[in-house]
Amino acid sequence: MDARHYFGAVIPIVTLCCATSSYAQTADVQHSQPGSDTPKGETDVSGSAASLADIVVTAQKRSERLSDVPMSITASSAEQLKDAGVTSTDDLGKLVPGFTFLQGNYGLPVYFIRGIGFSDTTLGVSPAVTVYVDQTPLPFSPMSRGATLDLERVEVLKGPQGTLFGQNSTGGAINYIAAKPTDHLAAGFDLSVGRFDQVDVEGFISGPLTDTLKVRVAVRREYRGDWQYNYVNGDTIGKKNFLNGRAIIDWEPSGAVKLSFSATGWRDKSDVQQEQFQLFRPQNPEDPNPRPVPFPISTYPKAPDNARAASWDPGISFAKNDSFYQFALRGDVDLSDRVKLTNIASYAYFKTHIPLDLDGTIYPAARNSTDGTIKSFSEELRLAGSLGSRLRWMIGGNYQKDRVDESIELSPQIATEVKIGPFFYDDFVATNSQNIGTKSGFGSLDFDLTDRLTLQGSLRYSDQDRKFRGCTRDGGAGDLAAAVSFLSSLITGQTQTIAPGACVTLSDQTGLAVPIVTGELNETNLSWRGSANYKFGDHALVYANITKGYKSGSFPTLPAAAVSQLAPVKQESVLAYEVGSKVDVFDRKLELTAAAFYYDYRDKQLVGTRAVFPFGFLPGLVSIPKSKVEGLELGFRAAPFRGLTIDGGGTYLKTRVLSDPVNPTGPFGSQGSFIGNNFPFTPKWQGIVNANYRFALSSRIDAFFGASATSRSKTTAALFNGDATIAPLEQLLVINGYTLLDLRAGVETADGSLRFELWGRNVTNKYYATNANRISDYVYRFAGMPATYGATLRYRFGQ
């Protein structure tokens, strides 16, 4: 089915928009001035409790009504985030159809939007979904853990966003908007207690220090006891220990100059979630002389379908030690009534230590430890303005410098194929250091051809230089060094000796171990976007967009036997076509959105296999030359009568691989074509519905209750060979669909100053998997959280 069928599906909604133009009041369409906080022409709905309020977003780096922005955006308020229990970016799937999160093989978060994402093992990989706080970048996904603290709202922009939000936004962008300092004294706290000894405390204080200086400080502490148990020996694990803080200082020395300084930091010492053992299967079942594994893993019991059940090595700490801080300074200067200069500079530092059990048993068969640091500096300078009442423009430049250092130690790694000739080895270290410099220039134009028809265009030119140093090292005991020395001697015909702790990665040309592998990847690209949108008064919008976006290439972190395994993968691109509509009807009681889209996806990056002589097929980064995404998205908000609000949405995705990478190899080593396969971690259907009802108990006290349901169809955790039957082994890497139900109820004072709430999440205790994996001889999966329940007390002063 080609894109015409999907674009055709949105025509009834567009027709509805046209038909409802009679509802629209005649009004001039006005736009906000650059950088203004409130768009002109915003509808006043404060007098009707049964009408929908306007949502203001900054998706185009200026404040606009969500209903006026010609792109697919899911915007959620701080209240909605709290109701859904969203405490990190990982949880946004509760509110955003088309969004998927998974924990990667080595514990790092990976985000997908509409099937676009990159599940890599590398700390320094640039994500396909970028994250920002107040337009300040968090350029690597692990940095985003604490971004949800003390927010006004979050905006999730779907589809390529490379022109205004930089390269590497092929999937989309997530922009968190932090709560800002107030011009009066305000304070508040949230205290939550729940199952598994959960105690979460969040508080803030805000107000003016002088007539021109305001400050806001917020702190959050999350604690939870063990929630997983070992189904073999009865041990427990799963503590959460997370501390997060942010301070914002706003200074307005004059009406034309505004400065905002923010300092953010967090520390995470939580236990890593433990996997659920599924199967022991030798990497090469036909090997006549496999390495003997000194544990009875072949008869190890499979984990039950219970979210809490897992298995891990006893006596080992699996607590993370991650930390992050960022300083950012934003300056806005009104050069005239129509021109604004904005500068945003930031420096971020991230450090990680993630220990993992990679076999899911109580035996010391496979453990992993990821250690690394990221240093990131970014600077953006832009001018924005307008000419007359019809033309709005923006021009700017960006510079970013990143340094990523990472080591992944696998020790022990006792598997059937961890041997070279007569030599066995149990540990090794994969290292990856990257220096990344990115320069870009961007601009945009919006022109109102008529009072209702607007044309938009934007582009960004990016130039990135990425330098790499890394290899696989002997773990220090000398076992791997001796094994590779033996192999190198066979290849070269001369006796070779590699010292303990040295690099053991061999040159593909000489067969000798190299002191260090180095490489460079220099790439340029031009992202662009063209859009036309037509407004039917203030109540309906139709639009059509064409967007080209890029995600930069990368060097892998892998146990590389040969230099060619560490070759980079080139940049990928998405050419996206989208048509859509936004309409509100029945006197602002119902708002509908619809979009149909088609993505021409080139050079999709993935962890695959490379042919490496004399080793055969080994892991490496590869590209799928051509693939596609087709889809439909529907959303709604409704206030049918006083006190009741309902919102929700759904996404349908059809993804397909259209051509094969070199040496397409399935997760269990089978050779064959990927053509016709769906993308991994991309459910065909996703849907979300939220309902809230509020009513007065007295003149001072209101009661409320609400429910939220999220649902998605099945997907897979890997690309399989063939497009028809999934083999029995591959069934272990199928992630079944599921539906989750959350409930809440409570009371609140009419002025919102005091609130008490009882809540339950996954109240049916649905068992579901979030990821499945095969590493070495072991197959395992990760389960979603079981039923949790608790209570929250909230107090606000001066709001």
Side-chain angles (χ1 to χ4, degrees):
M1 186 180 291
D2 61 31
R4 294 190 300 271
H5 294 83
Y6 290 89
F7 293 160
V10 84
I11 295 301
I13 303 298
V14 175
T15 304
L16 174 62
C17 293
C18 299
T20 57
S21 61
S22 60
Y23 288 97
Q25 300 172 356
T26 303
D28 292 334
V29 179
Q30 301 183 66
H31 299 268
S32 63
Q33 294 300 314
S36 65
D37 293 327
T38 305
K40 292 184 177 180
E42 183 173 341
T43 306
D44 182 8
V45 295
S46 59
S48 175
S51 296
L52 295 167
D54 283 314
I55 299 174
V56 178
V57 297
T58 53
Q60 300 186 108
K61 294 195 172 180
R62 60 174 181 261
S63 295
E64 302 170 283
R65 293 191 311 172
L66 177 61
S67 57
D68 291 337
V69 181
M71 66 176 69
S72 293
I73 303 172
T74 297
S76 300
S77 66
E79 188 74 17
Q80 290 173 307
L81 293 168
K82 289 180 181 295
D83 285 347
V86 173
T87 59
S88 75
T89 303
D90 306 353
D91 302 324
L92 285 180
K94 296 180 177 183
L95 294 170
V96 183
F99 177 91
T100 304
F101 155 77
L102 67 98
Q103 177 179 299
N105 293 359
Y106 295 154
L108 302 173
V110 182
Y111 306 127
F112 294 76
I113 293 179
R114 291 178 173 175
I116 308 296
F118 183 30
S119 178
D120 189 21
T121 60
T122 306
L123 179 64
V125 67
S126 298
V129 176
T130 53
V131 181
Y132 298 80
V133 176
D134 292 335
Q135 302 179 23
T136 300
L138 298 171
F140 300 92
S141 296
M143 293 179 165
S144 66
R145 171 65 179 88
T148 57
L149 173 68
D150 193 34
L151 296 177
E152 289 182 3
R153 65 184 183 278
V154 61
E155 303 166 6
V156 180
L157 287 59
K158 301 176 182 179
Q161 305 296 326
T163 57
L164 295 183
F165 283 93
Q167 70 169 12
N168 303 320
S169 297
T170 46
I174 301 169
N175 191 22
Y176 292 101
I177 290 82
K180 302 301 186 295
T182 52
D183 56 9
H184 59 279
L185 181 61
F189 70 85
D190 291 36
L191 171 62
S192 296
V193 295
R195 190 183 184 192
F196 307 121
D197 299 323
Q198 175 185 346
V199 180
D200 294 347
V201 182
E202 179 178 337
F204 76 91
I205 186 168
S206 175
L209 298 180
T210 69
D211 291 342
T212 60
L213 195 65
K214 298 181 290 185
V215 65
R216 187 181 185 105
V217 177
V219 178
R220 180 176 176 87
R221 170 69 188 277
E222 300 174 32
Y223 175 82
R224 183 186 60 215
D226 292 343
W227 70 277
Q228 291 186 289
Y229 71 88
N230 195 313
Y231 63 92
V232 173
N233 62 16
D235 288 348
T236 61
I237 202 170
K239 286 184 174 63
K240 178 187 285 188
N241 184 358
F242 185 78
L243 181 63
N244 194 10
R246 179 191 295 128
I248 300 176
I249 301 173
D250 286 351
W251 184 40
E252 191 170 351
S254 70
V257 178
K258 298 179 182 178
L259 297 175
S260 181
F261 171 78
S262 65
T264 302
W266 54 261
R267 184 199 68 199
D268 190 358
K269 293 190 174 183
S270 305
D271 289 340
V272 175
Q273 182 177 344
Q274 300 302 310
E275 61 268 17
Q276 298 185 318
F277 176 83
Q278 298 296 293
L279 178 71
F280 171 81
R281 181 182 185 272
Q283 295 180 73
N284 183 6
E286 300 177 358
D287 187 346
N289 298 300
R291 180 186 183 181
V293 177
F295 317 111
I297 294 180
S298 59
T299 59
Y300 200 82
K302 178 182 176 181
D305 289 347
N306 182 323
R308 300 184 62 193
S311 195
W312 61 92
D313 295 355
I316 302 296
S317 173
F318 290 101
K320 293 184 286 187
N321 189 3
D322 292 357
S323 60
F324 169 81
Y325 64 82
Q326 183 177 52
F327 302 107
L329 178 64
R330 172 170 177 159
D332 293 285
V333 180
D334 294 329
L335 301 180
S336 70
D337 291 341
R338 293 185 173 272
V339 179
K340 173 172 285 189
L341 175 68
T342 299
N343 185 81
I344 303 175
S346 70
Y347 174 79
Y349 178 82
F350 172 77
K351 184 177 182 179
T352 186
H353 169 73
I354 304 176
L356 295 173
D357 185 317
L358 295 180
D359 57 87
T361 74
I362 61 171
Y363 305 123
R367 287 200 300 270
N368 166 86
S369 177
T370 297
D371 293 270
T373 60
I374 301 174
K375 300 175 183 177
S376 180
F377 170 79
S378 71
E379 168 81 19
E380 179 177 301
L381 182 67
R382 67 178 187 253
L383 275 173
S386 60
L387 294 174
S389 61
R390 294 189 179 272
L391 181 66
R392 293 164 300 285
W393 56 269
M394 182 185 299
I395 187 169
N398 179 274
Y399 174 76
Q400 186 169 309
K401 181 68 174 178
D402 303 310
R403 171 64 187 263
V404 184
D405 294 293
E406 177 185 21
S407 67
I408 297 178
E409 181 177 3
L410 291 100
S411 174
Q413 180 68 23
I414 303 174
T416 55
E417 294 301 299
V418 183
K419 63 185 181 69
I420 298 176
F423 293 90
F424 300 135
Y425 57 92
D426 294 337
D427 60 352
F428 53 86
V429 180
T431 63
N432 183 330
S433 294
Q434 297 187 60
N435 279 293
I436 311 162
T438 308
K439 302 180 290 291
S440 62
F442 60 90
S444 68
L445 286 175
D446 293 17
F447 180 64
D448 297 331
L449 196 62
T450 69
D451 287 344
R452 301 193 178 201
L453 177 62
T454 300
L455 304 179
Q456 297 180 325
S458 57
L459 55 84
R460 176 186 292 256
Y461 175 79
S462 294
D463 184 339
Q464 183 177 95
D465 295 330
R466 188 181 289 256
K467 297 180 180 180
F468 165 82
R469 291 172 60 85
C471 69
T472 298
R473 296 183 178 275
D474 175 84
D479 295 339
L480 180 58
V484 177
S485 296
F486 168 79
L487 178 62
S488 181
S489 299
L490 288 179
I491 295 172
T492 63
Q494 300 178 2
T495 301
Q496 305 294 332
T497 301
I498 302 173
C503 285
V504 298
T505 304
L506 300 182
S507 166
D508 295 76
Q509 287 73 40
T510 67
L512 298 174
V514 297
I516 194 73
V517 180
T518 61
E520 290 191 25
L521 183 63
N522 303 320
E523 296 178 315
T524 61
N525 59 66
L526 182 67
S527 301
W528 51 268
R529 176 175 178 261
S531 174
N533 62 86
Y534 186 83
K535 293 182 179 179
F536 297 87
D538 286 340
H539 296 264
L541 169 77
V542 294
Y543 65 87
N545 298 331
I546 305 178
T547 311
K548 184 67 174 283
Y550 291 85
K551 177 198 170 305
S552 65
S554 180
F555 288 88
T557 306
L558 291 170
V563 170
S564 58
Q565 279 183 267
L566 297 178
V569 66
K570 65 180 180 180
Q571 63 187 355
E572 66 178 30
S573 68
V574 174
L575 179 61
Y577 304 85
E578 180 173 326
V579 296
S581 64
K582 301 180 179 183
V583 56
D584 65 76
V585 294
F586 307 126
D587 195 23
R588 297 299 308 276
K589 289 182 172 61
L590 176 64
E591 181 181 277
L592 300 171
T593 62
F597 49 89
Y598 177 87
Y599 293 172
D600 181 358
Y601 198 178
R602 300 300 175 100
D603 300 315
K604 174 179 172 61
Q605 302 168 356
L606 75 156
V607 179
T609 59
R610 291 177 177 267
V612 181
F613 178 81
F615 305 99
F617 295 109
L618 295 178
L621 293 181
V622 298
S623 296
I624 294 178
K626 188 174 182 180
S627 52
K628 69 176 182 179
V629 179
E630 300 170 305
L632 293 170
E633 196 163 77
L634 300 174
F636 71 94
R637 291 197 304 148
F641 54 83
R642 184 182 298 272
L644 178 64
T645 58
I646 307 172
D647 65 82
T651 299
Y652 169 77
L653 293 174
K654 181 180 179 182
T655 60
R656 286 291 185 271
V657 174
L658 301 179
S659 59
D660 278 321
V662 177
N663 303 317
T665 305
F668 292 96
S670 59
Q671 296 280 301
S673 176
F674 290 154
I675 293 175
N677 265 261
N678 300 323
F679 294 173
F681 306 109
T682 307
K684 181 175 288 188
W685 296 95
Q686 286 180 266
I688 296 170
V689 177
N690 299 290
N692 292 281
Y693 180 60
R694 185 184 183 104
F695 57 94
L697 293 178
S698 69
S699 60
R700 301 179 62 183
I701 302 294
D702 293 345
F704 63 89
F705 59 85
S708 301
T710 60
S711 185
R712 61 181 59 192
S713 59
K714 72 178 181 180
T715 184
T716 62
L719 277 173
F720 300 146
N721 303 121
D723 59 359
T725 303
I726 298 177
L729 279 176
E730 293 173 338
Q731 289 285 353
L732 295 172
L733 301 183
V734 171
I735 302 173
N736 291 323
Y738 56 87
T739 298
L740 306 179
L741 176 65
D742 296 350
L743 298 174
R744 55 192 172 271
V747 293
E748 185 175 19
T749 56
D751 61 3
S753 62
L754 188 62
R755 175 186 176 108
F756 178 76
E757 177 182 335
L758 299 174
W759 48 263
R761 299 184 181 114
N762 187 14
V763 295
T764 63
N765 202 31
K766 173 69 175 178
Y767 174 81
Y768 63 102
T770 59
N771 192 5
N773 229 326
R774 185 220 174 180
I775 292 183
S776 185
D777 295 337
Y778 311 99
V779 181
Y780 56 82
R781 66 189 174 197
F782 288 98
M785 285 294 293
T788 56
Y789 42 81
T792 297
L793 177 66
R794 187 178 308 168
Y795 173 72
R796 296 292 184 267
F797 167 79
Q799 291 286 81

